[in-house]
Coordinates of all heavy atoms in Angstrom, one line a residue:
M1 N -9.9 29.5 -38.3 CA -11.3 29.6 -38.2 C -11.9 30.8 -38.9 O -11.3 31.9 -38.9 CB -11.7 29.7 -36.7 CG -12.5 28.6 -36.3 SD -12.7 28.5 -34.6 CE -13.6 29.0 -33.7
S2 N -12.9 30.6 -39.7 CA -13.5 31.7 -40.4 C -14.4 32.5 -39.5 O -14.8 32.1 -38.3 CB -14.4 31.2 -41.6 OG -15.5 30.5 -41.1
R3 N -14.9 33.6 -40.0 CA -15.7 34.5 -39.2 C -17.1 33.9 -38.9 O -17.6 34.0 -37.8 CB -15.9 35.8 -39.9 CG -16.6 36.9 -39.2 CD -16.7 38.2 -40.0 NE -17.7 39.1 -39.4 CZ -17.4 40.1 -38.7 NH1 -16.1 40.4 -38.4 NH2 -18.3 40.9 -38.2
L4 N -17.6 33.1 -39.9 CA -18.9 32.5 -39.7 C -18.9 31.4 -38.6 O -19.8 31.2 -37.8 CB -19.5 32.0 -41.0 CG -19.9 33.0 -42.0 CD1 -20.3 32.3 -43.3 CD2 -21.1 33.8 -41.5
E5 N -17.8 30.6 -38.7 CA -17.6 29.5 -37.7 C -17.4 30.1 -36.3 O -18.0 29.6 -35.3 CB -16.3 28.7 -38.0 CG -16.5 27.9 -39.3 CD -15.1 27.2 -39.7 OE1 -14.1 27.6 -39.1 OE2 -15.2 26.4 -40.5
T6 N -16.7 31.2 -36.2 CA -16.5 31.9 -34.9 C -17.9 32.4 -34.4 O -18.2 32.3 -33.2 CB -15.5 33.1 -35.0 OG1 -14.3 32.6 -35.6 CG2 -15.3 33.7 -33.7
Q7 N -18.7 33.0 -35.3 CA -20.0 33.5 -34.9 C -20.9 32.4 -34.4 O -21.6 32.5 -33.4 CB -20.7 34.2 -36.1 CG -22.0 34.8 -35.8 CD -21.9 36.0 -34.9 OE1 -21.1 36.9 -35.1 NE2 -22.7 36.1 -33.8
Q8 N -20.8 31.2 -35.0 CA -21.6 30.1 -34.6 C -21.2 29.6 -33.2 O -22.0 29.2 -32.4 CB -21.5 29.0 -35.6 CG -22.4 27.8 -35.3 CD -23.8 28.1 -35.3 OE1 -24.3 28.9 -36.0 NE2 -24.5 27.4 -34.3
Q9 N -19.8 29.6 -33.0 CA -19.3 29.1 -31.7 C -19.7 30.1 -30.6 O -20.0 29.6 -29.5 CB -17.8 29.0 -31.8 CG -17.1 28.5 -30.6 CD -15.6 28.4 -30.7 OE1 -15.0 28.8 -31.8 NE2 -15.0 27.9 -29.7
I10 N -19.7 31.4 -30.9 CA -20.1 32.3 -29.9 C -21.6 32.2 -29.5 O -22.0 32.2 -28.4 CB -19.8 33.8 -30.4 CG1 -18.3 34.0 -30.4 CG2 -20.5 34.8 -29.5 CD1 -17.9 35.3 -31.1
N11 N -22.4 32.0 -30.5 CA -23.9 31.8 -30.3 C -24.1 30.5 -29.5 O -25.0 30.5 -28.6 CB -24.6 31.7 -31.6 CG -24.7 33.0 -32.3 OD1 -24.6 34.1 -31.7 ND2 -24.9 33.0 -33.6
D12 N -23.4 29.4 -29.8 CA -23.5 28.2 -29.0 C -23.1 28.4 -27.6 O -23.7 27.9 -26.6 CB -22.7 27.1 -29.6 CG -23.2 26.6 -31.0 OD1 -24.4 26.9 -31.3 OD2 -22.5 26.0 -31.7
F13 N -22.0 29.1 -27.4 CA -21.5 29.4 -26.0 C -22.5 30.2 -25.2 O -22.8 29.8 -24.1 CB -20.2 30.2 -26.1 CG -19.6 30.6 -24.8 CD1 -18.8 29.7 -24.1 CD2 -19.9 31.8 -24.2 CE1 -18.3 30.0 -22.9 CE2 -19.3 32.1 -23.0 CZ -18.5 31.2 -22.3
F14 N -23.1 31.2 -25.8 CA -24.1 32.0 -25.0 C -25.4 31.4 -24.8 O -26.2 31.9 -24.0 CB -24.2 33.4 -25.6 CG -23.1 34.3 -25.2 CD1 -22.0 34.6 -26.1 CD2 -23.0 34.9 -24.0 CE1 -21.0 35.4 -25.7 CE2 -22.0 35.8 -23.6 CZ -21.0 36.0 -24.5
S15 N -25.7 30.3 -25.6 CA -27.0 29.7 -25.4 C -27.1 28.9 -24.0 O -28.1 28.7 -23.5 CB -27.3 28.7 -26.5 OG -26.3 27.6 -26.5
D16 N -25.9 28.6 -23.5 CA -25.8 27.9 -22.2 C -24.8 28.6 -21.3 O -23.9 28.0 -20.7 CB -25.4 26.4 -22.4 CG -25.5 25.6 -21.1 OD1 -26.4 25.9 -20.3 OD2 -24.7 24.7 -20.9
I17 N -25.0 29.9 -21.1 CA -24.0 30.8 -20.4 C -24.0 30.5 -18.9 O -23.0 30.7 -18.2 CB -24.2 32.3 -20.7 CG1 -23.1 33.1 -20.1 CG2 -25.5 32.8 -20.2 CD1 -22.0 33.4 -21.0
K18 N -25.1 30.1 -18.3 CA -25.2 29.9 -16.9 C -24.3 28.9 -16.3 O -23.9 29.0 -15.1 CB -26.7 29.5 -16.5 CG -27.7 30.6 -16.9 CD -27.6 31.8 -16.0 CE -28.7 32.8 -16.3 NZ -28.5 34.0 -15.5
N19 N -23.8 28.0 -17.1 CA -22.9 26.9 -16.6 C -21.4 27.2 -17.0 O -20.6 26.2 -16.9 CB -23.3 25.5 -17.2 CG -24.8 25.2 -16.8 OD1 -25.2 25.5 -15.7 ND2 -25.5 24.6 -17.7
K20 N -21.1 28.4 -17.3 CA -19.7 28.7 -17.8 C -18.9 29.3 -16.7 O -19.4 30.0 -15.8 CB -19.7 29.6 -19.0 CG -20.6 29.1 -20.2 CD -20.0 27.8 -20.7 CE -20.9 27.3 -21.9 NZ -20.5 26.1 -22.4
T21 N -17.6 29.2 -16.8 CA -16.7 29.8 -15.8 C -16.2 31.1 -16.3 O -16.4 31.5 -17.4 CB -15.5 28.8 -15.5 OG1 -14.7 28.7 -16.7 CG2 -15.9 27.5 -15.0
Q22 N -15.5 31.8 -15.4 CA -14.9 33.1 -15.8 C -13.9 33.0 -16.9 O -13.8 33.8 -17.8 CB -14.3 33.8 -14.5 CG -15.3 34.1 -13.5 CD -14.7 34.6 -12.2 OE1 -13.6 34.2 -11.9 NE2 -15.4 35.4 -11.4
K23 N -13.1 31.9 -16.8 CA -12.0 31.7 -17.8 C -12.6 31.5 -19.2 O -12.1 32.0 -20.2 CB -11.2 30.5 -17.5 CG -9.9 30.8 -16.9 CD -9.0 29.6 -16.7 CE -7.7 30.0 -16.1 NZ -6.9 28.8 -15.8
Q24 N -13.7 30.7 -19.3 CA -14.4 30.5 -20.5 C -15.0 31.7 -21.1 O -14.9 31.9 -22.3 CB -15.5 29.4 -20.3 CG -14.9 28.0 -20.0 CD -16.0 27.1 -19.6 OE1 -17.0 27.4 -19.0 NE2 -15.8 25.8 -20.0
V25 N -15.6 32.6 -20.3 CA -16.2 33.8 -20.7 C -15.1 34.7 -21.3 O -15.3 35.4 -22.4 CB -17.0 34.5 -19.6 CG1 -17.4 35.9 -20.0 CG2 -18.1 33.7 -19.2
K26 N -14.0 34.8 -20.6 CA -12.9 35.7 -21.0 C -12.3 35.2 -22.4 O -12.1 36.0 -23.3 CB -11.8 35.7 -20.0 CG -10.7 36.7 -20.2 CD -9.8 36.8 -19.1 CE -8.8 37.9 -19.2 NZ -7.9 38.0 -18.1
K27 N -12.2 33.9 -22.5 CA -11.7 33.3 -23.8 C -12.6 33.6 -25.0 O -12.2 34.0 -26.0 CB -11.5 31.8 -23.6 CG -10.9 31.1 -24.8 CD -10.8 29.6 -24.6 CE -9.5 29.2 -24.0 NZ -9.3 27.7 -23.9
I28 N -13.9 33.5 -24.8 CA -14.9 33.7 -25.9 C -14.9 35.2 -26.2 O -15.1 35.5 -27.4 CB -16.3 33.1 -25.5 CG1 -16.9 32.4 -26.7 CG2 -17.3 34.2 -25.1 CD1 -16.4 31.3 -27.3
K29 N -14.8 36.1 -25.2 CA -14.8 37.5 -25.5 C -13.5 37.9 -26.3 O -13.6 38.6 -27.3 CB -14.8 38.3 -24.2 CG -14.9 39.8 -24.5 CD -14.9 40.6 -23.2 CE -14.9 42.1 -23.6 NZ -14.2 42.9 -22.7
R30 N -12.4 37.3 -26.0 CA -11.2 37.6 -26.8 C -11.3 37.0 -28.2 O -10.8 37.6 -29.1 CB -10.0 37.0 -26.0 CG -9.6 37.7 -24.8 CD -8.4 37.2 -24.1 NE -7.2 37.2 -25.0 CZ -6.4 38.2 -25.2 NH1 -6.6 39.3 -24.6 NH2 -5.3 38.0 -26.0
L31 N -12.0 35.9 -28.3 CA -12.2 35.3 -29.7 C -13.1 36.3 -30.5 O -12.8 36.5 -31.7 CB -12.8 33.9 -29.5 CG -13.1 33.2 -30.8 CD1 -11.8 32.8 -31.5 CD2 -13.9 32.0 -30.6
A32 N -14.1 36.8 -29.9 CA -15.0 37.8 -30.6 C -14.2 39.0 -31.0 O -14.4 39.5 -32.1 CB -16.2 38.1 -29.7
M33 N -13.3 39.5 -30.1 CA -12.6 40.7 -30.4 C -11.6 40.4 -31.5 O -11.3 41.3 -32.4 CB -11.8 41.2 -29.2 CG -12.7 41.8 -28.1 SD -11.9 42.7 -26.8 CE -10.7 41.4 -26.2
K34 N -11.0 39.2 -31.6 CA -10.0 38.9 -32.6 C -10.6 38.9 -34.0 O -10.0 39.3 -34.9 CB -9.5 37.5 -32.3 CG -8.5 37.0 -33.3 CD -8.0 35.6 -32.9 CE -7.1 35.0 -34.0 NZ -6.7 33.6 -33.7
H35 N -11.9 38.4 -34.1 CA -12.6 38.4 -35.4 C -13.5 39.6 -35.6 O -14.2 39.6 -36.6 CB -13.4 37.1 -35.5 CG -12.5 35.9 -35.6 ND1 -11.9 35.5 -36.8 CD2 -12.0 35.0 -34.7 CE1 -11.2 34.4 -36.6 NE2 -11.3 34.1 -35.3
N36 N -13.4 40.6 -34.7 CA -14.2 41.8 -34.8 C -15.7 41.5 -34.9 O -16.4 42.1 -35.8 CB -13.7 42.6 -36.1 CG -14.1 44.1 -36.0 OD1 -14.5 44.6 -34.9 ND2 -14.2 44.7 -37.1
I37 N -16.1 40.7 -34.0 CA -17.6 40.3 -33.9 C -18.1 41.0 -32.7 O -17.7 40.8 -31.6 CB -17.8 38.8 -33.8 CG1 -17.2 38.1 -35.1 CG2 -19.2 38.5 -33.6 CD1 -17.2 36.6 -35.0
P38 N -19.1 41.9 -32.9 CA -19.7 42.6 -31.7 C -20.6 41.7 -31.0 O -21.4 40.9 -31.5 CB -20.5 43.8 -32.4 CG -20.8 43.3 -33.8 CD -19.7 42.4 -34.2
L39 N -20.5 41.7 -29.6 CA -21.4 40.9 -28.8 C -22.8 41.5 -28.5 O -23.7 40.8 -28.1 CB -20.7 40.6 -27.4 CG -19.4 39.8 -27.5 CD1 -18.8 39.6 -26.2 CD2 -19.7 38.4 -28.1
K40 N -22.9 42.8 -28.7 CA -24.1 43.6 -28.6 C -24.8 43.3 -27.2 O -24.2 43.6 -26.2 CB -25.1 43.3 -29.7 CG -24.5 43.8 -31.0 CD -25.4 43.6 -32.2 CE -24.8 44.0 -33.5 NZ -25.6 43.8 -34.6
E41 N -26.0 42.7 -27.2 CA -26.7 42.5 -26.0 C -26.1 41.3 -25.2 O -26.4 41.2 -24.0 CB -28.2 42.1 -26.3 CG -29.0 43.3 -26.9 CD -29.1 44.4 -25.8 OE1 -29.5 44.1 -24.7 OE2 -28.9 45.6 -26.2
L42 N -25.3 40.5 -25.8 CA -24.7 39.3 -25.1 C -23.7 39.8 -24.0 O -23.5 39.1 -23.0 CB -24.1 38.4 -26.0 CG -25.0 37.7 -27.1 CD1 -24.1 36.9 -28.1 CD2 -26.0 36.9 -26.4
R43 N -23.1 40.9 -24.2 CA -22.1 41.4 -23.2 C -22.8 41.8 -21.9 O -22.1 42.0 -20.9 CB -21.3 42.6 -23.8 CG -22.1 43.8 -24.0 CD -21.3 44.9 -24.7 NE -22.1 46.1 -25.0 CZ -22.2 47.1 -24.2 NH1 -21.6 47.1 -23.0 NH2 -23.0 48.1 -24.5
K44 N -24.1 41.9 -21.9 CA -24.8 42.3 -20.6 C -25.0 41.1 -19.7 O -25.5 41.2 -18.6 CB -26.1 43.0 -20.9 CG -25.9 44.3 -21.7 CD -27.2 45.0 -21.9 CE -27.0 46.3 -22.7 NZ -28.3 47.0 -22.9
T45 N -24.6 39.9 -20.2 CA -24.9 38.7 -19.4 C -23.7 38.4 -18.5 O -23.8 37.4 -17.7 CB -25.1 37.5 -20.3 OG1 -24.0 37.3 -21.2 CG2 -26.4 37.7 -21.1
F46 N -22.6 39.1 -18.6 CA -21.5 38.9 -17.7 C -20.9 40.2 -17.2 O -21.1 41.2 -17.9 CB -20.4 38.0 -18.3 CG -19.9 38.5 -19.6 CD1 -18.7 39.3 -19.6 CD2 -20.4 38.2 -20.8 CE1 -18.2 39.8 -20.8 CE2 -19.9 38.7 -22.0 CZ -18.8 39.5 -22.0
C47 N -20.1 40.1 -16.1 CA -19.4 41.3 -15.6 C -18.2 41.7 -16.4 O -17.5 40.8 -16.8 CB -19.0 41.0 -14.2 SG -18.1 42.4 -13.4
K48 N -18.0 42.9 -16.7 CA -16.9 43.3 -17.6 C -15.6 43.4 -16.8 O -14.5 43.5 -17.4 CB -17.2 44.6 -18.3 CG -16.9 45.9 -17.5 CD -17.2 47.1 -18.4 CE -16.4 48.3 -18.0 NZ -16.6 49.5 -18.8
K49 N -15.6 43.4 -15.5 CA -14.4 43.4 -14.7 C -13.9 42.0 -14.4 O -12.7 41.7 -14.6 CB -14.6 44.2 -13.4 CG -14.9 45.7 -13.6 CD -13.6 46.3 -14.0 CE -13.8 47.8 -14.1 NZ -12.7 48.5 -14.5
C50 N -14.7 41.2 -13.8 CA -14.3 39.9 -13.4 C -14.8 38.7 -14.3 O -14.4 37.6 -14.0 CB -14.7 39.6 -11.9 SG -16.5 39.4 -11.7
F51 N -15.6 39.0 -15.3 CA -16.1 38.0 -16.3 C -17.0 36.9 -15.6 O -17.1 35.9 -16.2 CB -14.9 37.4 -17.1 CG -14.2 38.4 -17.8 CD1 -12.9 38.8 -17.4 CD2 -14.7 38.9 -19.0 CE1 -12.2 39.7 -18.2 CE2 -13.9 39.8 -19.7 CZ -12.7 40.2 -19.3
S52 N -17.5 37.2 -14.4 CA -18.4 36.2 -13.9 C -19.8 36.4 -14.5 O -20.2 37.5 -14.9 CB -18.5 36.3 -12.3 OG -19.1 37.6 -12.0
V53 N -20.5 35.3 -14.6 CA -21.8 35.3 -15.2 C -22.9 35.8 -14.2 O -22.9 35.4 -13.0 CB -22.2 33.9 -15.6 CG1 -23.6 33.9 -16.2 CG2 -21.2 33.3 -16.6
H54 N -23.7 36.7 -14.6 CA -24.8 37.3 -13.8 C -25.9 36.2 -13.6 O -26.7 36.0 -14.5 CB -25.4 38.5 -14.4 CG -24.5 39.7 -14.5 ND1 -23.9 40.3 -13.4 CD2 -24.1 40.4 -15.6 CE1 -23.2 41.3 -13.8 NE2 -23.2 41.4 -15.1
K55 N -25.9 35.6 -12.4 CA -26.9 34.6 -12.2 C -28.1 35.1 -11.4 O -29.2 34.9 -11.7 CB -26.3 33.4 -11.4 CG -25.3 32.6 -12.2 CD -24.7 31.5 -11.4 CE -23.7 30.8 -12.3 NZ -22.8 29.9 -11.7
N56 N -27.8 36.0 -10.4 CA -28.9 36.6 -9.6 C -28.4 38.0 -9.3 O -28.2 38.3 -8.1 CB -29.2 35.7 -8.4 CG -30.5 36.1 -7.8 OD1 -31.3 36.8 -8.4 ND2 -30.8 35.5 -6.6
P57 N -28.3 38.9 -10.2 CA -27.7 40.2 -9.9 C -28.7 41.1 -9.3 O -29.9 40.9 -9.3 CB -27.3 40.7 -11.3 CG -28.4 40.1 -12.2 CD -28.6 38.8 -11.6
K58 N -28.2 42.2 -8.6 CA -29.0 43.2 -8.1 C -29.2 44.2 -9.2 O -28.3 44.8 -9.7 CB -28.3 43.9 -6.9 CG -28.2 43.0 -5.7 CD -27.5 43.7 -4.6 CE -27.3 42.8 -3.4 NZ -26.6 43.4 -2.3
I59 N -30.5 44.4 -9.6 CA -30.9 45.3 -10.7 C -31.6 46.5 -10.1 O -32.5 46.3 -9.3 CB -31.7 44.5 -11.7 CG1 -30.9 43.4 -12.3 CG2 -32.1 45.5 -12.8 CD1 -31.7 42.5 -13.2
R60 N -31.3 47.6 -10.7 CA -32.0 48.9 -10.3 C -32.2 49.7 -11.5 O -31.3 49.9 -12.3 CB -31.1 49.6 -9.3 CG -31.6 50.9 -8.8 CD -30.6 51.5 -7.9 NE -31.3 52.4 -7.0 CZ -30.8 53.0 -6.0 NH1 -29.5 52.9 -5.8 NH2 -31.5 53.8 -5.2
V61 N -33.4 50.3 -11.6 CA -33.6 51.3 -12.7 C -34.0 52.6 -12.1 O -34.9 52.7 -11.3 CB -34.8 50.8 -13.6 CG1 -35.1 51.8 -14.7 CG2 -34.5 49.4 -14.2
K62 N -33.2 53.6 -12.5 CA -33.5 55.0 -12.0 C -33.1 56.0 -13.0 O -32.0 56.0 -13.6 CB -32.6 55.1 -10.7 CG -32.8 56.4 -10.0 CD -32.0 56.4 -8.7 CE -32.2 57.7 -7.9 NZ -31.4 57.8 -6.7
K63 N -34.0 56.9 -13.3 CA -33.8 58.0 -14.3 C -33.3 57.4 -15.6 O -32.3 57.9 -16.2 CB -32.8 59.0 -13.8 CG -33.3 59.8 -12.6 CD -32.3 60.9 -12.2 CE -32.9 61.7 -11.0 NZ -31.9 62.7 -10.6
K64 N -34.0 56.4 -16.2 CA -33.7 55.8 -17.4 C -32.3 55.2 -17.5 O -31.7 55.0 -18.6 CB -33.9 56.8 -18.6 CG -35.3 57.3 -18.7 CD -35.4 58.2 -19.9 CE -36.8 58.8 -20.0 NZ -36.9 59.7 -21.1
V65 N -31.8 54.8 -16.4 CA -30.5 54.1 -16.3 C -30.6 52.8 -15.6 O -31.1 52.8 -14.4 CB -29.4 54.9 -15.7 CG1 -28.1 54.2 -15.6 CG2 -29.2 56.2 -16.5
K66 N -30.3 51.7 -16.2 CA -30.4 50.3 -15.6 C -29.0 50.0 -15.0 O -28.0 50.1 -15.7 CB -30.8 49.3 -16.6 CG -30.8 47.9 -16.0 CD -31.2 46.9 -17.1 CE -31.3 45.5 -16.6 NZ -31.6 44.5 -17.7
S67 N -29.0 49.7 -13.7 CA -27.7 49.4 -13.0 C -27.8 48.0 -12.6 O -28.7 47.5 -11.9 CB -27.6 50.3 -11.7 OG -27.5 51.6 -12.1
V68 N -26.7 47.2 -12.9 CA -26.6 45.8 -12.5 C -25.3 45.7 -11.7 O -24.2 46.0 -12.2 CB -26.5 44.9 -13.8 CG1 -26.4 43.5 -13.4 CG2 -27.8 45.1 -14.6
M69 N -25.5 45.2 -10.4 CA -24.4 45.0 -9.6 C -23.9 43.5 -9.6 O -24.7 42.6 -9.4 CB -24.7 45.4 -8.1 CG -23.6 45.3 -7.2 SD -24.1 45.7 -5.5 CE -23.2 47.2 -5.3
C70 N -22.6 43.3 -9.8 CA -22.0 42.0 -9.8 C -22.0 41.4 -8.4 O -21.7 42.1 -7.5 CB -20.6 42.1 -10.4 SG -19.7 40.5 -10.4
E71 N -22.4 40.1 -8.3 CA -22.4 39.5 -7.0 C -21.0 39.2 -6.5 O -20.7 39.2 -5.3 CB -23.1 38.1 -7.1 CG -24.4 38.1 -7.8 CD -24.3 37.8 -9.2 OE1 -23.6 36.8 -9.6 OE2 -25.0 38.5 -10.0
K72 N -20.0 39.0 -7.4 CA -18.7 38.6 -7.0 C -17.8 39.7 -6.6 O -17.2 39.8 -5.5 CB -18.0 37.8 -8.1 CG -18.7 36.5 -8.4 CD -17.8 35.3 -8.5 CE -18.7 34.1 -8.8 NZ -17.9 32.9 -8.8
C73 N -17.7 40.7 -7.5 CA -16.7 41.8 -7.3 C -17.4 43.1 -6.9 O -16.7 44.0 -6.4 CB -15.9 42.1 -8.6 SG -16.8 42.7 -10.0
G74 N -18.7 43.2 -7.0 CA -19.4 44.4 -6.6 C -19.4 45.5 -7.6 O -19.9 46.6 -7.4
Y75 N -18.9 45.3 -8.8 CA -18.8 46.3 -9.9 C -20.3 46.6 -10.4 O -21.1 45.7 -10.6 CB -18.0 45.9 -11.0 CG -17.8 46.9 -12.1 CD1 -17.0 48.0 -12.0 CD2 -18.5 46.7 -13.3 CE1 -16.9 48.9 -13.0 CE2 -18.5 47.7 -14.3 CZ -17.6 48.8 -14.2 OH -17.5 49.7 -15.1
V76 N -20.6 47.9 -10.6 CA -21.9 48.3 -11.1 C -21.8 48.6 -12.6 O -21.1 49.6 -12.9 CB -22.4 49.5 -10.3 CG1 -23.8 49.9 -10.8 CG2 -22.5 49.1 -8.8
S77 N -22.5 47.9 -13.4 CA -22.6 48.2 -14.8 C -23.8 49.0 -15.1 O -24.9 48.7 -14.5 CB -22.7 46.9 -15.7 OG -21.6 46.1 -15.4
R78 N -23.7 50.0 -15.9 CA -24.9 50.9 -16.1 C -25.2 51.0 -17.6 O -24.3 51.2 -18.4 CB -24.6 52.3 -15.6 CG -24.5 52.3 -14.1 CD -24.2 53.7 -13.6 NE -24.0 53.8 -12.1 CZ -22.9 53.6 -11.5 NH1 -21.8 53.4 -12.2 NH2 -22.8 53.6 -10.2
W79 N -26.5 50.8 -18.0 CA -26.9 50.9 -19.4 C -28.1 51.9 -19.4 O -29.0 51.8 -18.6 CB -27.3 49.6 -19.9 CG -26.1 48.7 -20.0 CD1 -25.0 48.7 -20.9 CD2 -25.8 47.5 -19.2 NE1 -24.2 47.7 -20.7 CE2 -24.6 47.0 -19.6 CE3 -26.5 46.9 -18.2 CZ2 -24.1 45.8 -19.1 CZ3 -26.0 45.8 -17.6 CH2 -24.8 45.2 -18.1
R80 N -28.2 52.6 -20.5 CA -29.3 53.5 -20.7 C -30.5 52.7 -21.2 O -30.3 51.9 -22.1 CB -28.9 54.6 -21.7 CG -29.9 55.7 -21.8 CD -29.5 56.8 -22.7 NE -28.0 56.9 -22.9 CZ -27.5 57.4 -24.0 NH1 -28.2 57.9 -25.0 NH2 -26.2 57.3 -24.2
V81 N -31.6 53.0 -20.6 CA -32.9 52.3 -21.0 C -33.7 53.3 -21.8 O -33.9 54.4 -21.4 CB -33.7 51.8 -19.8 CG1 -35.0 51.2 -20.2 CG2 -32.9 50.9 -18.9
L82 N -34.1 52.9 -23.0 CA -34.9 53.8 -23.8 C -36.3 53.6 -23.8 O -36.8 52.6 -23.4 CB -34.4 53.7 -25.3 CG -32.9 54.0 -25.5 CD1 -32.6 53.7 -27.0 CD2 -32.6 55.4 -25.2

C-alpha cells in the first residue's frame, strides 16, 4: 500500500469513528505509525490507553489545559488550549 492510499484509508476510517471498536482503532493507529503519517487532531478522538472512542467524555478546562476523561478506563488525557 502506498502512503497516499494509507492516508485515504485513515481519513475514511475517522469520518465514521463513532461506530468503531477498540481493535479497529488500534489497527488504524499502527497503520499510520507504519507509514509515518501523523494523526494530529484525530488522535484526540480516542483514548490512548484503551483505544476506546470518546462518545460522551467528561471534559474540563482549567488554566489553559483541556482534560478529557475516558469513560471506560478512567484515563485523563490533557492538552494545552491556546
Side-chain angles (χ1 to χ4, degrees):
M1 239 168 92
S2 73
R3 186 179 165 100
L4 290 174
E5 290 172 348
T6 305
Q7 183 68 46
Q8 183 61 37
Q9 185 178 1
I10 290 170
N11 289 338
D12 292 343
F13 179 84
F14 279 101
S15 66
D16 187 34
I17 186 95
K18 296 289 183 186
N19 301 323
K20 305 298 182 182
T21 64
Q22 294 171 331
K23 259 187 178 174
Q24 292 170 325
V25 173
K26 191 172 186 176
K27 186 184 265 188
I28 221 61
K29 184 180 179 216
R30 289 184 54 88
L31 183 67
M33 289 190 305
K34 179 181 176 185
H35 290 279
N36 198 20
I37 297 172
L39 294 179
K40 297 182 182 178
E41 291 294 315
L42 299 175
R43 68 187 175 91
K44 296 180 181 182
T45 58
F46 59 90
C47 177
K48 83 175 205 179
K49 291 288 181 183
C50 67
F51 299 104
S52 65
V53 178
H54 293 302
K55 293 183 180 161
N56 198 9
K58 293 181 182 178
I59 299 173
R60 174 183 209 178
V61 178
K62 186 175 179 181
K63 292 186 180 178
K64 297 183 182 179
V65 176
K66 179 180 178 182
S67 300
V68 179
M69 181 182 251
C70 179
E71 314 91 45
K72 298 227 178 185
C73 68
Y75 182 76
V76 179
S77 301
R78 294 178 182 92
W79 295 290
R80 195 174 337 152
V81 179
L82 301 175

